Amino acid sequence: MQVKTLALLRVLGCLCLGLWTAVAAAVGLGEAQVIGAGLMVLPPLHAGPPPDGGANVIVLHGNRRSLIFGTGQAYRDGRQILDLVRLERLPDPYMAFIPAALPGYVFGGTALQHGGVALADTGATGDLINQRCDHCLERLRASDGDEAMAGSAVPVADVALMGEIRIDLGGRMVQVMDMGWAAVPGELALFDEATGTLVTAELVVGQGLPQLRDAHLDGWLQALDRIEALAPKRIVPGRGGVLPPSAIACTRDYLVNVGTQVRNAYARGLSLSEAENELKLPGATPDEARVHSSNVQVLYLQMEKADLGLGAR
């Protein structure tokens, strides 16, 4: 699935964009992307593949408060986000959000807490972090090295969110929404009303294919309907560049198609290996082929468990 990246809107003008980018680079966060007044996307320091690869961090502010969506993959990421807020003289952060229980979103959280910023996630995300993230941190120390992950620890959020909240940052209203069990359990999404920008974690995909290993397919499709109803003007995914609203339909099309194909293959009595061979994705890159094969396995095994009375489809 290929989705063309939407050209970034430079509402602040070239001068302001240059200043934000220069400040981000000065604290080690790489080249920032500015989307409208007061909304900046910080690309990940760690660019490895998911689930252990880095993720975007969003910093946005109004007249009175700022907000951080995502925390980075390591303690140093969280410190650099705080340095950016300080150097840019942004309003004090109201809160930082962990949008999903995947490493790229999690391990800068402790640094933000040490800097006096309250940390929030959903109960489902908090439970998953507690169950998994010790092992995630071990893997990252092994792959990135002890120096890169120095100070990193599994964070415990200060606030557990439920449902949807609307936050006034001072002349700027944002919605933070618990999307339920979609791409991952308890994923958050954010909608910035001032710019019509939707910020997601794994919910909308612009690079590669959706990954179903932690997903609830029906819940994911329902979540896509929910965010589409917001009529966003642009989407900032957890990984990669800014996307047009059509990325929602592209993500949905893949999920619907793979679900239908696996369901039909299972109903015809194909074995798992037969289904994998028959349902290969034409024109896929090696990484896309790997992800697609894994998705077929996940859905097939879910159907098999349901038939055995071990789980619902």
Side-chain angles (χ1 to χ4, degrees):
M1 179 180 60
Q2 299 289 331
V3 180
K4 293 183 179 179
T5 301
L6 184 68
L8 293 175
L9 298 184
R10 299 184 177 181
V11 178
L12 294 182
C14 295
L15 176 61
C16 190
L17 175 59
L19 288 173
W20 278 77
T21 300
V23 172
V27 299
L29 286 169
E31 185 175 351
Q33 302 175 345
V34 175
I35 308 171
L39 196 162
M40 181 167 58
V41 183
L42 307 175
L45 285 173
H46 309 264
D52 289 343
N56 294 326
V57 174
I58 285 75
V59 179
L60 69 159
H61 70 87
N63 298 327
R64 296 197 308 271
R65 299 187 286 190
S66 59
L67 181 151
I68 301 165
F69 192 81
T71 74
Q73 185 168 288
Y75 188 92
R76 66 178 182 177
D77 297 6
R79 285 303 317 167
Q80 288 166 341
I81 295 165
L82 289 174
D83 288 343
L84 173 69
V85 170
R86 174 177 53 82
L87 288 172
E88 192 62 25
R89 297 183 180 179
L90 301 183
D92 289 339
Y94 160 72
M95 194 169 286
F97 296 89
I98 299 177
L102 294 170
Y105 303 101
V106 170
F107 293 117
T110 305
L112 294 172
Q113 289 176 310
H114 288 171
V117 181
L119 194 61
D121 61 20
T122 63
T125 292
D127 289 344
L128 207 53
I129 288 173
N130 186 53
Q131 294 166 22
R132 292 183 174 180
C133 282
D134 282 327
H135 300 295
C136 298
L137 189 52
E138 290 175 9
R139 290 201 309 272
L140 287 171
R141 287 196 177 110
S143 62
D144 292 4
D146 290 337
E147 182 178 353
M149 299 304 297
S152 301
V154 178
V156 177
D158 304 291
V159 178
L161 300 177
M162 293 183 63
E164 178 179 325
I165 59 172
R166 202 160 175 258
I167 302 167
D168 184 359
L169 298 178
R172 183 183 213 123
M173 300 298 300
V174 298
Q175 301 174 43
V176 179
M177 301 162 283
D178 178 358
M179 305 310 299
W181 188 358
V184 290
E187 178 176 343
L188 290 173
L190 180 149
F191 185 64
D192 176 40
E193 297 178 9
T195 62
T197 301
L198 177 74
V199 183
T200 72
E202 304 297 302
L203 195 59
V204 181
V205 178
Q207 292 182 338
L209 296 176
Q211 299 197 35
L212 289 166
R213 69 173 200 147
D214 288 320
H216 186 284
L217 184 58
D218 289 343
W220 197 338
L221 293 171
Q222 290 167 14
L224 292 175
D225 290 342
R226 183 176 165 192
I227 61 173
E228 194 168 49
L230 295 170
K233 295 180 181 178
R234 64 195 62 81
I235 298 166
V236 180
R239 307 173 199 274
V242 180
L243 302 171
S246 58
I248 297 173
C250 291
T251 301
R252 181 191 290 111
D253 287 348
Y254 174 80
L255 295 175
V256 170
N257 288 337
V258 71
T260 300
Q261 290 170 2
V262 174
R263 195 174 299 112
N264 290 342
Y266 186 84
R268 286 161 44 212
L270 270 61
S271 68
L272 175 55
S273 61
E274 290 170 336
E276 286 184 82
N277 287 330
E278 182 174 304
L279 301 181
K280 289 181 179 178
L281 196 63
T285 66
D287 186 61
E288 289 170 341
R290 176 188 58 79
V291 172
H292 181 71
S293 178
S294 173
N295 290 342
V296 171
Q297 291 177 26
V298 167
L299 292 174
Y300 186 99
L301 292 174
Q302 286 177 354
M303 293 175 190
E304 193 170 59
K305 286 181 179 180
D307 277 350
L308 294 173
L310 300 176
R313 289 187 188 174

